[in-house]
Amino acid sequence: MIVILKSNPNREQLESLINWLQEKGITIHTSIGESHTILGLVGDTSQLDIDLIAALDIVDDVKRVQEPYKNANRKFHPEDTVVKVRDTQIGGGTLTIMAGPCSVESEEQVVSIAKAVKASGATMLRGGAFKPRTSPYSFQGLGAQGLEFLKVARQETGLPIVTELMDISQIPLFDDVDVIQIGARNMQNFNLLKEVGKLDKPIMIKRGMSATYEEWLMSAEYVMASGNQDVILCERGIRTFESYTRNTLDLACIPVLRKLTHLPIIIDPSHATGKSWLVDPLAVGAVATGADGLLIEVHNDPAHALCDGAQSLKPEAFDTLAKKLLKMHNFCAALEG
Ligand code: PEP
Ligand code: MN
């Protein structure tokens, strides 16, 4: 971090700033220029409140030269993180395909979709038991019973289950879930992030609808700082001025996150577009851009789905797409040499 002082700073205030920084274990390199003095701060500056320093009378400007996240930062962990989930993995050159209904509606529904997506090449079953709905009058999910139906589907297919946790109070119910999803609306629920950081279970964090890359990575940092290093990032579209699609899919996040972090990246073209016919091209684009995997909503009867039918693929359409995705993944691997 670099602190640029105003000209002729008050001596006492400068000494008190320097003492305060040194007490925090920061080493200070001072460079005195003609008009400005610059303090170069070396050490763990992630603990410093940049706004607090910038607000001091003697300070003209403060600039970070290092990102505020450490655990999630590729600089301190150059190797890609590979998250093991039962006998499969996320990251490390594999293509993860998470598929399933937005909401678990019944045992028969989730088991039949799980069998269909498995036969097409899905590697994980994704379905919601606790649903964060914009309206309190919409279907809220089957809750604990939905989790039981997901476990039955896992038993029948062998597919690990990915499902959303909405609240700290639900944690005990998620003991036997393979990957916990933290939804877009909860991306900055810091208490929840700290609690799932204490679990020995992979956590997939969906990007908040107006979150910057840094805010998203700071959410990952919350989980990792609490001890859990198995974090997966999921882009699900952000809010922009465009209203044709439900959200705007930010595929640029893939190369950007690759540079900034070692964590695996999953792309969700279903929630990003809200339209089933847009899922196929964007899923293929995501694989071409280097995603570690996809999250795709599949429903046996989208017209009657209790949630997100318009963006759900029928099993036949998913089958065609899954085959394309594997081809694209192999093609990209060959291109990379
Ligand atoms: C979901 O994955 O079903 C969901 C509600 O997604 P998001 O949190 O991205 O809106
Ligand atoms: Mn959904």
Side-chain angles (χ1 to χ4, degrees):
M1 191 180 283
I2 291 167
V3 179
I4 303 156
L5 301 175
K6 287 182 184 155
S7 46
N8 302 318
N10 174 292
R11 276 225 154 276
E12 264 176 36
Q13 286 181 27
L14 180 56
E15 265 170 36
S16 109
L17 171 63
I18 290 174
N19 290 339
W20 178 72
L21 289 167
Q22 283 171 339
E23 274 165 27
K24 290 188 171 297
I26 306 286
T27 310
I28 301 162
H29 296 269
T30 310
S31 143
I32 302 169
E34 264 183 34
S35 60
H36 279 96
T37 296
I38 293 174
L39 308 179
L41 313 191
V42 180
D44 182 9
T45 55
S46 61
Q47 38 149 351
L48 301 178
D49 183 343
I50 187 165
D51 297 325
L52 198 69
I53 299 173
L56 295 174
D57 277 348
I58 54 166
V59 173
D60 191 29
D61 203 2
V62 186
K63 294 196 188 312
R64 274 199 188 279
V65 286
Q66 194 145 297
E67 300 79 12
Y69 46 90
K70 284 203 306 193
N71 289 278
N73 199 326
R74 193 179 277 283
K75 278 186 195 144
F76 305 115
H77 189 300
E79 296 298 312
D80 285 344
T81 282
V82 178
V83 176
K84 298 248 182 321
V85 185
R86 292 190 171 248
D87 51 7
T88 175
Q89 65 178 50
I90 306 174
T94 53
L95 182 68
T96 296
I97 306 181
M98 303 175 175
C102 178
S103 313
V104 176
E105 297 172 11
S106 68
E107 184 178 315
E108 303 71 52
Q109 175 240 21
V110 73
V111 169
S112 78
I113 296 174
K115 285 182 177 166
V117 297
K118 161 122 195 206
S120 300
T123 53
M124 292 190 194
L125 173 64
R126 214 286 319 214
F130 294 93
K131 296 302 306 175
R133 302 304 301 277
T134 302
S135 166
Y137 307 116
S138 302
F139 176 59
Q140 305 284 307
L142 295 181
Q145 193 185 31
L147 294 179
E148 294 310 311
F149 294 158
L150 281 168
K151 290 180 210 165
V152 174
R154 178 178 63 198
Q155 178 94 32
E156 297 273 329
T157 59
L159 290 178
I161 52 181
V162 184
T163 191
E164 178 163 353
L165 171 78
M166 284 174 57
D167 191 84
I168 293 176
S169 64
Q170 295 160 355
I171 289 178
L173 297 171
F174 281 63
D175 233 20
D176 195 20
V177 160
D178 300 301
V179 176
I180 291 179
Q181 171 178 320
I182 299 297
R185 291 156 191 80
N186 261 324
M187 189 204 86
Q188 288 190 314
N189 181 339
F190 302 120
N191 286 335
L192 181 62
L193 297 173
K194 283 186 209 168
E195 287 305 311
V196 297
K198 294 177 193 160
L199 305 178
D200 183 19
K201 203 177 274 303
I203 309 297
M204 181 168 77
I205 307 178
K206 297 192 93 178
R207 181 181 188 178
M209 40 192 105
S210 59
T212 63
Y213 298 137
E214 188 167 291
E215 286 164 342
W216 192 9
L217 288 167
M218 288 308 281
S219 294
E221 192 70 17
Y222 259 96
V223 176
M224 300 173 90
S226 298
N228 188 346
Q229 305 305 302
D230 282 344
V231 176
I232 303 136
L233 300 168
C234 178
E235 156 69 21
R236 44 77 75 205
I238 49 172
R239 277 267 167 94
T240 67
F241 51 81
E242 184 55 72
S243 58
Y244 188 88
T245 47
R246 186 176 180 182
N247 292 290
T248 297
L249 182 62
D250 176 18
L251 284 184
C253 81
I254 303 168
V256 173
L257 291 173
R258 277 277 177 262
K259 185 174 151 74
L260 300 179
T261 184
H262 50 88
L263 299 174
I265 307 155
I266 299 290
I267 300 293
D268 169 359
S270 305
H271 293 88
T273 62
K275 297 184 196 305
S276 60
W277 61 276
L278 284 173
V279 170
D280 181 306
L282 291 176
V284 173
V287 176
T289 315
D292 293 297
L294 281 312
L295 186 168
I296 295 171
E297 287 192 338
V298 179
H299 198 282
N300 49 324
D301 183 8
H304 296 102
L306 294 182
C307 181
D308 286 351
Q311 67 194 34
S312 300
L313 296 184
K314 287 191 175 157
E316 310 82 68
F318 175 74
D319 188 63
T320 309
L321 173 57
K323 292 192 167 90
K324 261 195 230 175
L325 296 178
L326 287 174
K327 270 194 202 157
M328 179 54 93
H329 181 64
N330 292 338
F331 176 73
C332 292
L335 264 188
E336 295 292 326

Short mmCIF file of all heavy atoms in Angstrom, two decimals, residues 256-297:
data_model
loop_
_atom_site.label_atom_id
_atom_site.label_comp_id
_atom_site.label_asym_id
_atom_site.label_seq_id
_atom_site.Cartn_x
_atom_site.Cartn_y
_atom_site.Cartn_z
N VAL A 256 -10.36 -13.40 -16.37
CA VAL A 256 -9.97 -12.47 -15.30
C VAL A 256 -9.74 -13.24 -14.00
O VAL A 256 -8.71 -13.09 -13.33
CB VAL A 256 -11.03 -11.36 -15.10
CG1 VAL A 256 -10.70 -10.51 -13.88
CG2 VAL A 256 -11.13 -10.47 -16.34
N LEU A 257 -10.71 -14.10 -13.64
CA LEU A 257 -10.56 -14.85 -12.39
C LEU A 257 -9.37 -15.81 -12.44
O LEU A 257 -8.70 -16.03 -11.44
CB LEU A 257 -11.84 -15.63 -12.07
CG LEU A 257 -13.06 -14.79 -11.67
CD1 LEU A 257 -14.29 -15.67 -11.53
CD2 LEU A 257 -12.81 -14.03 -10.36
N ARG A 258 -9.13 -16.38 -13.64
CA ARG A 258 -7.97 -17.27 -13.79
C ARG A 258 -6.69 -16.57 -13.35
O ARG A 258 -5.79 -17.16 -12.79
CB ARG A 258 -7.77 -17.67 -15.25
CG ARG A 258 -8.58 -18.77 -15.70
CD ARG A 258 -7.99 -20.14 -15.36
NE ARG A 258 -8.93 -21.11 -15.80
CZ ARG A 258 -9.83 -21.71 -15.03
NH1 ARG A 258 -9.82 -21.54 -13.73
NH2 ARG A 258 -10.71 -22.53 -15.53
N LYS A 259 -6.63 -15.26 -13.71
CA LYS A 259 -5.44 -14.48 -13.39
C LYS A 259 -5.41 -14.14 -11.90
O LYS A 259 -4.37 -14.22 -11.26
CB LYS A 259 -5.53 -13.19 -14.23
CG LYS A 259 -4.36 -12.26 -14.18
CD LYS A 259 -4.64 -11.15 -15.21
CE LYS A 259 -4.00 -9.85 -14.85
NZ LYS A 259 -2.58 -9.81 -15.05
N LEU A 260 -6.57 -13.80 -11.35
CA LEU A 260 -6.60 -13.31 -9.97
C LEU A 260 -6.60 -14.41 -8.92
O LEU A 260 -6.14 -14.20 -7.80
CB LEU A 260 -7.85 -12.44 -9.76
CG LEU A 260 -7.99 -11.20 -10.63
CD1 LEU A 260 -9.30 -10.48 -10.30
CD2 LEU A 260 -6.81 -10.26 -10.43
N THR A 261 -7.19 -15.57 -9.29
CA THR A 261 -7.39 -16.60 -8.26
C THR A 261 -7.08 -18.00 -8.80
O THR A 261 -7.03 -18.21 -10.02
CB THR A 261 -8.84 -16.54 -7.71
OG1 THR A 261 -9.00 -17.49 -6.66
CG2 THR A 261 -9.87 -16.83 -8.79
N HIS A 262 -6.91 -18.93 -7.87
CA HIS A 262 -6.65 -20.33 -8.21
C HIS A 262 -7.90 -21.17 -8.06
O HIS A 262 -7.86 -22.39 -8.22
CB HIS A 262 -5.54 -20.87 -7.28
CG HIS A 262 -5.83 -20.57 -5.83
ND1 HIS A 262 -6.56 -21.41 -5.05
CD2 HIS A 262 -5.52 -19.49 -5.07
CE1 HIS A 262 -6.68 -20.86 -3.83
NE2 HIS A 262 -6.06 -19.69 -3.83
N LEU A 263 -9.02 -20.54 -7.73
CA LEU A 263 -10.25 -21.29 -7.45
C LEU A 263 -10.97 -21.70 -8.75
O LEU A 263 -10.92 -20.96 -9.73
CB LEU A 263 -11.20 -20.45 -6.59
CG LEU A 263 -10.64 -20.05 -5.21
CD1 LEU A 263 -11.59 -19.09 -4.51
CD2 LEU A 263 -10.39 -21.28 -4.35
N PRO A 264 -11.64 -22.85 -8.75
CA PRO A 264 -12.36 -23.28 -9.96
C PRO A 264 -13.56 -22.39 -10.28
O PRO A 264 -14.16 -21.80 -9.36
CB PRO A 264 -12.84 -24.70 -9.62
CG PRO A 264 -12.23 -25.09 -8.33
CD PRO A 264 -11.73 -23.85 -7.67
N ILE A 265 -13.88 -22.30 -11.57
CA ILE A 265 -14.94 -21.40 -12.04
C ILE A 265 -16.02 -22.18 -12.78
O ILE A 265 -15.75 -22.88 -13.76
CB ILE A 265 -14.34 -20.35 -13.01
CG1 ILE A 265 -13.15 -19.63 -12.37
CG2 ILE A 265 -15.40 -19.35 -13.46
CD1 ILE A 265 -12.15 -19.07 -13.36
N ILE A 266 -17.25 -22.04 -12.28
CA ILE A 266 -18.42 -22.68 -12.90
C ILE A 266 -19.28 -21.58 -13.52
O ILE A 266 -19.41 -20.49 -12.93
CB ILE A 266 -19.25 -23.42 -11.81
CG1 ILE A 266 -18.42 -24.51 -11.12
CG2 ILE A 266 -20.56 -23.97 -12.37
CD1 ILE A 266 -18.11 -25.71 -11.97
N ILE A 267 -19.85 -21.85 -14.68
CA ILE A 267 -20.72 -20.86 -15.33
C ILE A 267 -22.16 -21.38 -15.36
O ILE A 267 -22.40 -22.54 -15.72
CB ILE A 267 -20.24 -20.56 -16.78
CG1 ILE A 267 -18.80 -20.00 -16.77
CG2 ILE A 267 -21.20 -19.60 -17.49
CD1 ILE A 267 -18.61 -18.63 -16.14
N ASP A 268 -23.09 -20.51 -14.99
CA ASP A 268 -24.52 -20.86 -14.96
C ASP A 268 -25.24 -20.04 -16.03
O ASP A 268 -25.66 -18.90 -15.78
CB ASP A 268 -25.05 -20.54 -13.55
CG ASP A 268 -26.57 -20.59 -13.45
OD1 ASP A 268 -27.24 -20.86 -14.46
OD2 ASP A 268 -27.08 -20.36 -12.34
N PRO A 269 -25.39 -20.61 -17.24
CA PRO A 269 -26.06 -19.84 -18.30
C PRO A 269 -27.58 -19.84 -18.13
O PRO A 269 -28.27 -19.06 -18.78
CB PRO A 269 -25.66 -20.59 -19.59
CG PRO A 269 -25.36 -21.98 -19.16
CD PRO A 269 -24.93 -21.93 -17.72
N SER A 270 -28.12 -20.68 -17.24
CA SER A 270 -29.57 -20.74 -17.06
C SER A 270 -30.07 -19.48 -16.36
O SER A 270 -30.94 -18.78 -16.88
CB SER A 270 -29.94 -21.99 -16.24
OG SER A 270 -29.42 -23.16 -16.85
N HIS A 271 -29.52 -19.19 -15.17
CA HIS A 271 -29.95 -17.98 -14.47
C HIS A 271 -29.44 -16.72 -15.17
O HIS A 271 -30.02 -15.65 -15.03
CB HIS A 271 -29.51 -18.02 -13.00
CG HIS A 271 -30.21 -19.09 -12.23
ND1 HIS A 271 -29.73 -20.37 -12.17
CD2 HIS A 271 -31.40 -19.09 -11.56
CE1 HIS A 271 -30.58 -21.11 -11.46
NE2 HIS A 271 -31.59 -20.36 -11.09
N ALA A 272 -28.35 -16.85 -15.90
CA ALA A 272 -27.78 -15.67 -16.58
C ALA A 272 -28.71 -15.18 -17.68
O ALA A 272 -28.81 -13.97 -17.90
CB ALA A 272 -26.41 -16.00 -17.15
N THR A 273 -29.38 -16.10 -18.37
CA THR A 273 -30.19 -15.67 -19.53
C THR A 273 -31.68 -15.73 -19.26
O THR A 273 -32.45 -14.95 -19.82
CB THR A 273 -29.89 -16.58 -20.74
OG1 THR A 273 -30.27 -17.92 -20.40
CG2 THR A 273 -28.43 -16.55 -21.12
N GLY A 274 -32.11 -16.69 -18.44
CA GLY A 274 -33.54 -16.84 -18.17
C GLY A 274 -34.33 -17.44 -19.32
O GLY A 274 -35.54 -17.56 -19.25
N LYS A 275 -33.63 -17.80 -20.41
CA LYS A 275 -34.32 -18.34 -21.58
C LYS A 275 -33.63 -19.63 -22.02
O LYS A 275 -32.42 -19.63 -22.27
CB LYS A 275 -34.26 -17.33 -22.74
CG LYS A 275 -34.97 -16.00 -22.46
CD LYS A 275 -34.93 -15.13 -23.71
CE LYS A 275 -35.25 -13.67 -23.45
NZ LYS A 275 -36.50 -13.37 -22.79
N SER A 276 -34.43 -20.69 -22.15
CA SER A 276 -33.82 -21.99 -22.43
C SER A 276 -33.04 -22.01 -23.75
O SER A 276 -32.00 -22.65 -23.84
CB SER A 276 -34.88 -23.10 -22.42
OG SER A 276 -35.85 -22.82 -23.40
N TRP A 277 -33.51 -21.24 -24.76
CA TRP A 277 -32.83 -21.30 -26.06
C TRP A 277 -31.47 -20.60 -26.05
O TRP A 277 -30.67 -20.76 -26.97
CB TRP A 277 -33.73 -20.75 -27.18
CG TRP A 277 -34.14 -19.31 -27.02
CD1 TRP A 277 -35.19 -18.83 -26.29
CD2 TRP A 277 -33.53 -18.16 -27.63
NE1 TRP A 277 -35.26 -17.46 -26.38
CE2 TRP A 277 -34.26 -17.02 -27.20
CE3 TRP A 277 -32.44 -17.97 -28.47
CZ2 TRP A 277 -33.94 -15.72 -27.60
CZ3 TRP A 277 -32.11 -16.68 -28.87
CH2 TRP A 277 -32.85 -15.58 -28.43
N LEU A 278 -31.22 -19.82 -25.01
CA LEU A 278 -29.91 -19.16 -24.92
C LEU A 278 -28.89 -19.97 -24.12
O LEU A 278 -27.70 -19.64 -24.10
CB LEU A 278 -30.07 -17.78 -24.27
CG LEU A 278 -30.66 -16.70 -25.18
CD1 LEU A 278 -30.96 -15.44 -24.40
CD2 LEU A 278 -29.69 -16.39 -26.33
N VAL A 279 -29.37 -21.01 -23.47
CA VAL A 279 -28.47 -21.79 -22.60
C VAL A 279 -27.39 -22.51 -23.43
O VAL A 279 -26.21 -22.47 -23.10
CB VAL A 279 -29.28 -22.80 -21.75
CG1 VAL A 279 -28.37 -23.78 -21.03
CG2 VAL A 279 -30.15 -22.03 -20.74
N ASP A 280 -27.81 -23.12 -24.54
CA ASP A 280 -26.88 -23.89 -25.36
C ASP A 280 -25.70 -23.05 -25.88
O ASP A 280 -24.54 -23.36 -25.58
CB ASP A 280 -27.67 -24.56 -26.50
CG ASP A 280 -26.82 -25.43 -27.41
OD1 ASP A 280 -25.82 -24.92 -27.94
OD2 ASP A 280 -27.15 -26.61 -27.59
N PRO A 281 -25.96 -21.93 -26.62
CA PRO A 281 -24.79 -21.20 -27.15
C PRO A 281 -23.88 -20.64 -26.05
O PRO A 281 -22.65 -20.63 -26.21
CB PRO A 281 -25.42 -20.06 -27.97
CG PRO A 281 -26.85 -19.99 -27.54
CD PRO A 281 -27.24 -21.36 -27.08
N LEU A 282 -24.47 -20.19 -24.95
CA LEU A 282 -23.62 -19.59 -23.92
C LEU A 282 -22.85 -20.65 -23.13
O LEU A 282 -21.73 -20.41 -22.68
CB LEU A 282 -24.44 -18.69 -23.00
CG LEU A 282 -24.92 -17.43 -23.74
CD1 LEU A 282 -25.81 -16.58 -22.87
CD2 LEU A 282 -23.74 -16.60 -24.23
N ALA A 283 -23.45 -21.83 -22.99
CA ALA A 283 -22.73 -22.91 -22.31
C ALA A 283 -21.51 -23.31 -23.15
O ALA A 283 -20.40 -23.50 -22.62
CB ALA A 283 -23.65 -24.10 -22.09
N VAL A 284 -21.72 -23.41 -24.46
CA VAL A 284 -20.60 -23.77 -25.35
C VAL A 284 -19.53 -22.68 -25.28
O VAL A 284 -18.32 -22.96 -25.18
CB VAL A 284 -21.11 -23.99 -26.80
CG1 VAL A 284 -19.95 -24.21 -27.76
CG2 VAL A 284 -22.08 -25.18 -26.85
N GLY A 285 -19.98 -21.42 -25.28
CA GLY A 285 -19.05 -20.29 -25.18
C GLY A 285 -18.25 -20.33 -23.88
O GLY A 285 -17.07 -20.00 -23.85
N ALA A 286 -18.92 -20.73 -22.81
CA ALA A 286 -18.24 -20.78 -21.51
C ALA A 286 -17.13 -21.83 -21.52
O ALA A 286 -16.03 -21.59 -20.99
CB ALA A 286 -19.25 -21.09 -20.40
N VAL A 287 -17.40 -22.96 -22.14
CA VAL A 287 -16.36 -24.00 -22.20
C VAL A 287 -15.20 -23.51 -23.07
O VAL A 287 -14.03 -23.66 -22.71
CB VAL A 287 -16.94 -25.35 -22.72
CG1 VAL A 287 -15.83 -26.39 -22.86
CG2 VAL A 287 -18.02 -25.85 -21.76
N ALA A 288 -15.55 -22.86 -24.19
CA ALA A 288 -14.50 -22.34 -25.08
C ALA A 288 -13.65 -21.28 -24.37
O ALA A 288 -12.47 -21.11 -24.67
CB ALA A 288 -15.13 -21.75 -26.34
N THR A 289 -14.26 -20.57 -23.42
CA THR A 289 -13.53 -19.52 -22.70
C THR A 289 -12.73 -20.07 -21.52
O THR A 289 -11.98 -19.35 -20.88
CB THR A 289 -14.53 -18.42 -22.24
OG1 THR A 289 -15.41 -18.13 -23.33
CG2 THR A 289 -13.86 -17.14 -21.85
N GLY A 290 -12.89 -21.36 -21.25
CA GLY A 290 -12.04 -21.99 -20.24
C GLY A 290 -12.70 -22.29 -18.90
O GLY A 290 -12.00 -22.52 -17.91
N ALA A 291 -14.04 -22.31 -18.87
CA ALA A 291 -14.72 -22.62 -17.59
C ALA A 291 -14.36 -24.04 -17.13
O ALA A 291 -14.12 -24.92 -17.95
CB ALA A 291 -16.23 -22.50 -17.77
N ASP A 292 -14.38 -24.23 -15.82
CA ASP A 292 -14.15 -25.58 -15.27
C ASP A 292 -15.43 -26.40 -15.28
O ASP A 292 -15.38 -27.61 -15.07
CB ASP A 292 -13.64 -25.48 -13.82
CG ASP A 292 -12.26 -24.86 -13.76
OD1 ASP A 292 -11.33 -25.46 -14.31
OD2 ASP A 292 -12.13 -23.76 -13.19
N GLY A 293 -16.55 -25.72 -15.49
CA GLY A 293 -17.80 -26.48 -15.50
C GLY A 293 -19.00 -25.58 -15.68
O GLY A 293 -18.89 -24.34 -15.77
N LEU A 294 -20.15 -26.22 -15.75
CA LEU A 294 -21.42 -25.53 -16.00
C LEU A 294 -22.45 -25.93 -14.95
O LEU A 294 -22.36 -27.03 -14.40
CB LEU A 294 -22.00 -25.98 -17.35
CG LEU A 294 -21.49 -25.43 -18.68
CD1 LEU A 294 -21.40 -23.92 -18.66
CD2 LEU A 294 -20.21 -26.05 -19.11
N LEU A 295 -23.40 -25.05 -14.74
CA LEU A 295 -24.57 -25.38 -13.92
C LEU A 295 -25.76 -25.15 -14.85
O LEU A 295 -25.97 -24.03 -15.32
CB LEU A 295 -24.63 -24.45 -12.70
CG LEU A 295 -25.69 -24.71 -11.63
CD1 LEU A 295 -25.38 -23.88 -10.40
CD2 LEU A 295 -27.10 -24.43 -12.09
N ILE A 296 -26.50 -26.22 -15.13
CA ILE A 296 -27.58 -26.11 -16.11
C ILE A 296 -28.88 -26.67 -15.54
O ILE A 296 -28.91 -27.79 -15.02
CB ILE A 296 -27.18 -26.86 -17.42
CG1 ILE A 296 -25.97 -26.14 -18.04
CG2 ILE A 296 -28.35 -26.92 -18.40
CD1 ILE A 296 -25.32 -26.85 -19.18
N GLU A 297 -29.93 -25.86 -15.64
CA GLU A 297 -31.23 -26.33 -15.13
C GLU A 297 -31.94 -27.18 -16.17
O GLU A 297 -32.07 -26.80 -17.34
CB GLU A 297 -32.08 -25.13 -14.68
CG GLU A 297 -31.50 -24.56 -13.39
CD GLU A 297 -32.37 -23.56 -12.65
OE1 GLU A 297 -33.25 -22.94 -13.28
OE2 GLU A 297 -32.14 -23.38 -11.44
#
